[in-house]
Amino acid sequence: MLRDLGPLLRDGFSPSSSSLPKEGAAEVVCSALWSDIGKQYYAKKGWAAFPSLHVEFPVAANADVLEEPTPATTIRSISTEGNDLETLCARDEQLLRRRLAQTARNCGRTCVAFAPDRDTLRWHLSRDDFIASVVYRAGAAPLPAGYASASASPKGALAGEDDGRRVWGVWARNYGGVSAAAPDPALCVDKNTLYILRLVVESDEDEKDEEETAAAFAAVMRAALREARAWHLGKVHLWNPSPAVRRLVDRCGLRHAWADRDTDSIPSMMWYGGEDAREVEWVANEKYCWC
């Protein structure tokens, strides 16, 4: 069945309509999935495994740092109200298109990226609100102090004031430890995670002076850790950071650990172009792509 599915997705088959696309439909260049059964099974079916690195920031290990003043930079929450998220997503797409072209020039290979547009981020954030509302439904678990509802939480943080010098992250909560038998997230903190869906660094990746950017990145990650602590999430994960962001991670002053997943959430892609999928560069292979 899976061997048949790949070509159908390439041709734009829609299970909801049970029909093939009309002539002139947009070309499908790839399909992707995230394997929870390792890297080999889906690779044999045509979906090649891609990098599955992440950096973890444990909340408990950074508790002392979170009590310190935030580095001297302006920071604010990101909201789904008004056009805040839409404006940031539009700017992100603009930057990513530029990065995609630059990466292709530098590596000499075909490069692809999924658009971090408003609809994609809103899907994740709506899912986050729904799951959190179930976890914190009346009587199941008390809401963190200062929050009127499970959906009232910030959806991310933005640091910096000047366009071109900002850093922002959009995140979502994941209650992997909550179950019918253990409904209170406070009792399974270590199994709950705050995922950075998308991290954006506006400044050029080859910029030599990173002091301002490093301070902004540290401020965003501290905000994420504080949010994780409030919602009983034991850690913050950032998937497949770029080389420039890896340097920021090393300079941010937060305790962290690197992990290369080999069994769960393995990004896998079937490429419909002429190249072998393993020769394609997947740019911005972050959590926002997951579905």
Side-chain angles (χ1 to χ4, degrees):
M1 180 181 291
L2 281 173
R3 292 189 187 279
D4 294 333
L5 178 62
L8 287 173
L9 293 173
R10 177 196 60 204
D11 296 332
F13 174 74
S14 172
S16 61
S17 64
S18 299
S19 62
L20 293 176
K22 296 179 180 179
E23 185 177 352
E27 179 184 4
V28 177
V29 299
C30 66
S31 64
L33 55 82
W34 283 259
S35 171
D36 286 331
I37 53 174
K39 300 182 178 182
Q40 300 302 318
Y41 178 79
Y42 289 106
K44 293 177 181 178
K45 306 298 183 182
W47 283 270
F50 275 73
S52 50
L53 179 73
H54 71 255
V55 57
E56 176 176 302
F57 298 87
V59 173
N62 286 291
D64 56 337
V65 180
L66 298 183
E67 300 306 321
E68 299 173 359
T70 299
T73 187
T74 301
I75 187 164
R76 68 169 179 83
S77 296
I78 294 174
S79 170
T80 55
E81 301 296 325
N83 62 354
D84 189 25
L85 183 65
E86 184 173 5
T87 299
L88 292 175
C89 286
R91 174 60 173 158
D92 186 10
E93 282 194 72
Q94 179 186 43
L95 293 168
L96 183 54
R97 290 177 187 278
R98 186 173 69 189
R99 178 184 167 195
L100 195 63
Q102 183 63 51
T103 302
R105 286 193 294 269
N106 291 343
C107 72
R109 299 196 301 273
T110 297
C111 295
V112 66
F114 290 92
D117 56 22
R118 186 201 65 167
D119 289 345
T120 299
L121 272 295
R122 285 298 297 262
W123 180 86
H124 282 280
L125 297 177
S126 296
R127 179 178 182 272
D128 167 86
D129 283 345
F130 174 76
I131 293 175
S133 69
V134 173
V135 171
Y136 288 95
R137 65 187 182 277
L143 286 167
Y147 291 95
S149 71
S151 61
S153 65
K155 306 308 180 186
L158 181 149
E161 293 181 327
D162 299 331
D163 287 354
R165 309 290 299 177
R166 301 173 298 175
V167 175
W168 68 84
V170 180
W171 56 60
R173 298 161 289 185
N174 180 276
Y175 289 99
V178 173
S179 65
D184 189 346
L187 301 180
C188 51
V189 171
D190 290 345
K191 297 181 180 180
N192 304 329
T193 306
L194 184 78
Y195 285 105
I196 305 295
L197 299 173
R198 177 71 174 132
L199 181 80
V200 180
V201 178
E202 279 192 304
S203 58
D204 293 335
E205 295 211 347
D206 60 355
E207 186 176 355
K208 295 181 179 179
D209 184 4
E210 292 182 333
E211 291 300 325
E212 183 179 350
T213 303
F217 174 79
V220 169
M221 296 312 300
R222 288 187 183 205
L225 283 163
R226 291 190 179 102
E227 196 67 18
R229 180 174 61 184
W231 291 97
H232 305 301
L233 309 167
K235 52 197 175 292
V236 174
H237 279 190
L238 173 62
W239 282 11
N240 293 314
S242 68
V245 173
R246 293 186 199 186
R247 293 195 298 271
L248 296 176
V249 169
D250 291 337
R251 297 180 57 182
C252 72
L254 296 169
R255 296 176 183 89
H256 60 274
W258 295 93
D260 194 353
R261 302 183 307 282
D262 57 10
T263 56
D264 62 288
S265 296
I266 307 299
S268 306
M269 181 188 293
M270 180 178 287
W271 181 251
Y272 300 132
E275 308 91 334
D276 187 308
R278 293 168 294 185
E279 298 302 318
V280 174
E281 186 77 13
W282 185 343
V283 179
N285 176 5
E286 299 179 30
K287 181 69 173 180
Y288 78 92
C289 301
W290 177 93
C291 62

